Amino acid sequence: STPKPSSAASDVYKRQIEVNPRASRTVPFVSKANGIPLAKIASRIMAGEKLSKYNLKYKKNKRYAVKEAVFPFNKFPDSDVLLGPEMKSTGEVMGVDKNFPLAFLKSQMAAGNKLPERGSIFISVRDEDKENIILLCQVIEKIDFKIYATKGTANFLKQFSISVQIINKVNEGSPHIVDFIEKNKIHLIINTTSGVKSIADSLSIRRTALSKKIPYFTTISAAKIAITGLNIVNNSEISVKSIQELYNL
């Protein structure tokens, strides 16, 4: 009989997410990112043409291409923006730039997740993420955003001379974070959670942010790139080019 996996191994297995390159999604993205019609070339080779005819050579791309999934959350008010292994996206967009943070920023804009250039940012992160937001918050201050945070996150940031205003969690009573979102006083949210209770407690924040179309980041890595992009945009303009212009097609 097949031996049963240990609890640790079983836990890792449950967290695995399938990575499956698809001809309908991955191939078009790679083609656009490199300016090479891969599907067209592949179909011609299958029809009998020689691969050598196309003189394909590896070349280092000087541009970054970021793919972002488009989700129908705005059409389903009761849905949660936290993702799992389920297939929920209804489309994809791509942001291209010589600068990675700007490519990421473009992908967010194309997906309808437009980031504000000024205003207020709400931050509430789990303990293991706190050290990772110090430099992030310094950049946020630099580009003149006001920072709101829950008590634990705010007290941590104050130790590093970061100006922050404490705001209540929902279960701590009004005025709380959902009140501020509903009154359009928050323009971007960075919120990382772990544990069933923490995720459940922050559900009202995510739902309200969704209804008010407030950009919402649930990972520090995505938040860092987004804020870096906003910092760059603060000093320069975003350039826009079509695929045809990029590759002289």
Side-chain angles (χ1 to χ4, degrees), residues 133-134 137-138 141 147 154 157-164:
I133 63 170
I134 299 170
C137 288
Q138 290 174 343
E141 281 190 315
I147 300 173
L157 292 174
K158 287 180 179 180
Q159 296 177 45
F160 299 90
S161 301
I162 293 172
S163 179
V164 55

Side-chain angles (χ1 to χ4, degrees), residues 124-142:
S124 180
V125 299
R126 54 191 180 181
D127 290 341
E128 53 263 46
D129 288 332
K130 283 186 169 61
E131 289 188 1
N132 293 319
I133 63 170
I134 299 170
L135 292 177
L136 178 67
C137 288
Q138 290 174 343
V139 175
I140 290 173
E141 281 190 315
K142 177 185 173 185

Side-chain angles (χ1 to χ4, degrees), residues 173-218:
S174 295
H176 49 61
I177 176 56
V178 170
D179 294 330
F180 273 61
I181 298 173
E182 289 179 339
K183 294 177 181 178
N184 299 314
K185 292 183 178 181
I186 300 295
H187 307 96
L188 192 149
I189 296 172
I190 300 170
N191 182 211
T192 66
T193 57
S194 60
V196 176
K197 185 179 185 304
S198 181
I199 292 174
D201 289 345
S202 57
L203 177 59
S204 60
I205 300 176
R206 295 191 295 275
R207 284 184 176 172
T208 308
L210 183 63
S211 67
K212 302 295 285 188
K213 297 182 179 180
I214 306 296
Y216 195 117
F217 293 101
T218 57

